[in-house]
Amino acid sequence: MIVIGVGNALRGDDAAGLEVVKRISAEPGLECRAHGGEAIELLDIWRGAAAVVLVDTVRSGAPVGTIHRIDASTRAVPVTLRRTSSHTIGVGEAIELARVLRGLPELVIVYGVEGARFGAGDELSAEVAGAIGPLADAVLQEARLMLSRRRT
């Protein structure tokens, strides 16, 4: 069971996933990783894991601060939730590539928070900053549920 916060701490709302991982990293039994590199590297990070929760920032047109939850285990991450990435490919594309290559963990849950500010040097928007606590709570609850299922 791995929780991976994806983002860039220097690009405003893009830091949301990293902030969530910081908040929950002390949870016993949980492996938490902050990932600021290329999304394609996620395939190596989750290799061998049965369950993964990914936390990222998205742009779908929903109000800023909206929290999205997608079970990517059996269906593609909707195109409307794939944010424009400054990297070669985004998280949604990495998930779909892993699915094709048969390298997707058995259970993959994606949490996305709707962002607005992605400029170099930007700070978190007030809406995303306000969503970090509820998002961290939701991710932690999801991770605890996954861990309890694996123990039974």
Side-chain angles (χ1 to χ4, degrees), residues 9-13 116-124:
L10 302 176
R11 292 199 171 266
D13 292 342
R117 300 178 65 193
F118 297 93
D122 282 350
E123 294 185 14
L124 286 175

Side-chain angles (χ1 to χ4, degrees), residues 43-110:
L43 280 72
D44 288 328
I45 294 170
W46 68 46
R47 183 171 297 157
V52 173
V53 177
L54 289 164
V55 188
D56 198 8
T57 308
V58 298
R59 283 193 255 184
S60 71
V64 177
T66 299
I67 296 172
H68 305 274
R69 181 194 178 275
I70 301 296
D71 182 343
S73 308
T74 57
R75 69 181 185 110
V77 175
V79 172
T80 56
L81 291 182
R82 296 181 193 179
R83 71 171 174 76
T84 304
S85 177
S86 60
H87 300 287
T88 308
I89 67 169
V91 169
E93 291 85 0
I95 289 170
E96 295 315 308
L97 178 60
R99 190 184 318 278
V100 168
L101 296 174
R102 300 181 193 265
L104 194 64
E106 183 179 331
L107 184 57
V108 178
I109 304 296
V110 178

Side-chain angles (χ1 to χ4, degrees), residues 112-148:
V113 62
E114 195 74 27
R117 300 178 65 193
F118 297 93
D122 282 350
E123 294 185 14
L124 286 175
S125 64
E127 298 88 346
V128 171
I132 296 294
L135 179 57
D137 292 344
V139 168
L140 191 53
Q141 182 178 353
E142 186 92 47
R144 286 175 177 158
L145 182 61
M146 288 177 168
L147 286 170
S148 70

